[in-house]
Amino acid sequence: MSTIYTVKDLKKTYRVGDVATEALRGIDLKIEQGEFTAIAGPSGSGKSTLLHLMGALDTPSSGEVWLSGRRIDRLAKPPSAQLRLWNIGFVFQAYNLIPVMSALENAAFVLELQGVGRRERESKALQALAALDMAEFADRRPNQLSGGQQQRVAVARALAADPQIILADEPTANLDSETGQSLIHYMQRLNTEQGVTFVFSTHDPRLLNQVTRIIRIEDGRIVQEEPVQAA
């Protein structure tokens, strides 16, 4: 396997007035192509901050982030936007769906930005929705969907564009047991059959029992890394 992510001595400090909060305190990490990995830790441990820095959504206070041999932590806005458009799929805990768009339009949105024709992008988006048991809700807008349904649309949006890697912030947090397990199995199939690399932040035992590596973070530092024999 080849290394897809290299993180070197990554630090992030947030400042509000005179108050400084150290979210990350020197993270060193490598993610190999094809991993199915969880970043686990208590609330406030730095999981989401790490994902955001890996996805070039934020810049670190110091340190480096490399994706497929390219340094991305200091990219200007236009190239970082292009990087996210073509290489990285995101699943946010807050969904971040566009309110005026239907579920199908939301799922197809990244494909539209990529310039994919309407027929092809709607076909791919509908396939992703169907895999998450959301095809029957394709015409509904986010305010007509439950929280769990909105999360499934957000996952479909990330998956439809066939990204190089998917970064997911608590992807099963708002899903019931059956739906969460179905989502996990679908992501596993993408990982094993198509080689999509997944990195999750999670404390969901259902997901932690299925990943192949757990990286545990506390107080902005990695305290343990453990391979897992998936159930």
Side-chain angles (χ1 to χ4, degrees):
M1 291 189 297
S2 60
T3 300
I4 187 169
Y5 264 114
T6 301
V7 175
K8 300 179 180 179
D9 195 24
L10 201 63
K11 298 178 182 179
K12 180 65 177 181
T13 300
Y14 294 102
R15 296 185 181 276
V16 179
D18 295 331
V19 179
T21 301
E22 294 182 89
L24 296 180
R25 306 185 185 200
I27 297 289
D28 291 293
L29 176 64
K30 287 189 176 183
I31 300 292
E32 303 297 324
Q33 180 71 42
E35 281 200 43
F36 199 70
T37 291
I39 300 170
S43 178
S45 60
K47 304 188 301 296
S48 294
T49 298
L50 177 56
L51 284 188
H52 288 173
L53 294 177
M54 290 173 66
L57 287 169
D58 197 0
T59 55
S61 301
S62 63
E64 302 175 6
V65 180
W66 295 76
L67 175 61
S68 297
R70 178 188 184 189
R71 186 170 177 180
I72 67 170
D73 56 276
R74 297 296 180 185
L75 288 177
K77 287 186 178 180
S80 67
Q82 287 297 306
L83 176 82
R84 291 190 295 271
L85 177 62
W86 291 99
N87 300 101
I88 305 171
F90 287 94
V91 180
F92 297 99
Q93 190 173 358
Y95 319 134
N96 290 359
L97 300 180
I98 299 173
V100 297
M101 288 185 174
S102 68
L104 180 61
E105 290 167 335
N106 268 286
F109 185 61
V110 175
L111 293 165
E112 183 176 3
L113 293 177
Q114 290 178 345
V116 177
R118 180 175 179 178
R119 180 175 295 181
E120 182 181 353
R121 70 174 182 259
E122 289 187 351
S123 175
K124 287 185 174 182
L126 191 59
Q127 287 177 17
L129 289 171
L132 295 163
D133 296 324
M134 286 296 294
E136 64 183 291
F137 303 102
D139 294 330
R140 294 193 185 183
R141 292 185 177 182
N143 65 0
Q144 298 173 307
L145 300 171
S146 69
Q149 290 169 336
Q150 291 183 61
Q151 180 67 306
R152 281 183 277 173
V153 174
V155 173
R157 177 181 57 193
L159 299 178
D162 298 322
Q164 182 181 14
I165 184 167
I166 291 179
L167 304 176
D169 190 7
E170 299 281 2
T172 60
N174 298 306
L175 303 182
D176 59 53
S177 180
E178 182 178 354
T179 303
Q181 200 66 51
S182 175
L183 172 60
I184 292 167
H185 289 159
Y186 179 54
M187 293 189 293
Q188 282 181 312
R189 288 200 305 273
L190 285 173
N191 174 253
T192 57
E193 296 174 8
Q194 299 182 27
V196 178
T197 304
F198 285 86
V199 180
F200 312 92
S201 71
T202 188
H203 60 268
D204 186 341
R206 298 170 299 182
L207 187 48
L208 290 176
N209 286 336
Q210 300 296 330
V211 299
T212 52
R213 181 161 68 125
I214 299 175
I215 300 164
R216 298 193 182 274
I217 292 183
E218 293 180 9
D219 298 323
R221 295 187 176 92
I222 293 177
V223 295
Q224 187 179 21
E225 292 188 46
E226 54 188 275
V228 176
Q229 183 63 48

